[in-house]
Amino acid sequence: MRSTTEALQAFEKSVERYVDELNRISLEQLLAKPSEEDWSIGQMYVHLIRSAQYMHLRNVDQCIAGSEAVLVGTGVKTENGKAAFELGSFPPIRIRVPASPQYTPQQPDNKEQLIEGLQDVVERMKRTEPALIQAPLENTVPHPNFGALNAVEWFLLVEMHYRHHFLQLERLKSFLKNI
């Protein structure tokens, strides 16, 4: 498993790439969707920002603080979770979740909102990484697919998640070439 310092550095490089990609497309392209069920590039960015802020890093904080949402020594990682952490990445497959108001991201208002959101996640990751040393490994919060993850694993998951969405970004960029 990669260190949290290495993951933070890789994460910062991923965010740089996401910002560069944003600067290469128009607002119209950012909002274009291949179909009603598919997300736009902008929605994908909103998903990345919100999942890091309100799921992954919130769960890191809960594991560190030992909040009531934490399972102490009783959580189990699933086979998918074990495989993801052994590989250091999500499987290179398309993951689909049915559209719903709770899960489907809104379209962004503008690129600046996304750049600011990405920078906010980088800053929070930088603040969080040093605190991981005090996180009890037995404190876990369940992930819907990976099972019980501790603070370090939730932190590593942010970088893995951003890297995984490069596949979707490439798919959406290919769609843009054809419109």
Side-chain angles (χ1 to χ4, degrees):
M1 192 160 41
R2 99 186 332 177
S3 76
T4 57
T5 305
E6 292 167 330
L8 179 57
Q9 290 168 347
F11 176 74
E12 289 178 281
K13 285 188 183 351
S14 291
V15 169
E16 285 174 20
R17 178 175 167 194
Y18 279 115
V19 171
D20 288 344
E21 295 285 355
L22 259 182
N23 290 326
R24 292 187 186 129
I25 63 173
S26 68
L27 184 59
E28 182 182 346
Q29 291 172 315
L30 183 70
L31 303 177
K33 294 171 54 165
S35 73
E36 199 52 44
E37 297 83 41
D38 287 311
W39 292 351
S40 68
I41 291 174
Q43 286 174 294
M44 183 196 74
Y45 276 68
V46 169
H47 164 74
L48 287 170
I49 294 162
R50 292 205 171 145
S51 61
Q53 292 280 32
Y54 302 113
M55 181 183 180
H56 302 124
L57 293 171
R58 186 193 80 214
N59 289 338
V60 168
D61 293 343
Q62 289 184 346
C63 288
I64 291 171
S67 76
E68 63 280 349
V70 169
L71 305 173
V72 180
T74 60
V76 177
K77 194 175 284 99
T78 65
E79 290 305 315
N80 286 343
K82 290 175 190 172
F85 284 95
E86 283 173 19
L87 284 172
S89 67
F90 287 28
I93 58 170
R94 191 169 181 179
I95 300 168
R96 286 185 171 258
V97 175
S100 71
Q102 301 89 340
Y103 187 76
T104 304
Q106 295 295 311
Q107 290 279 26
D109 295 326
N110 52 55
K111 290 186 196 183
E112 293 75 24
Q113 165 194 0
L114 300 176
I115 292 169
E116 211 172 278
L118 290 169
Q119 291 169 340
D120 287 347
V121 176
V122 169
E123 289 308 311
R124 188 160 172 204
M125 291 281 284
K126 286 179 177 178
R127 284 193 315 271
T128 301
E129 196 272 336
L132 293 170
I133 195 81
Q134 66 186 349
L137 294 177
E138 66 275 6
N139 285 6
T140 62
V141 173
H143 180 279
N145 188 28
F146 295 154
L149 303 181
N150 63 37
V152 169
E153 292 165 330
W154 278 108
F155 184 87
L156 297 174
L157 197 64
V158 177
E159 186 276 330
M160 291 175 11
H161 186 228
Y162 273 58
R163 189 168 14 106
H164 176 75
H165 275 280
F166 284 133
L167 298 171
Q168 182 180 14
L169 179 61
E170 292 306 315
R171 211 172 34 252
L172 290 168
K173 283 171 40 183
S174 292
F175 155 73
L176 293 177
K177 290 178 188 173
N178 297 321
I179 60 169

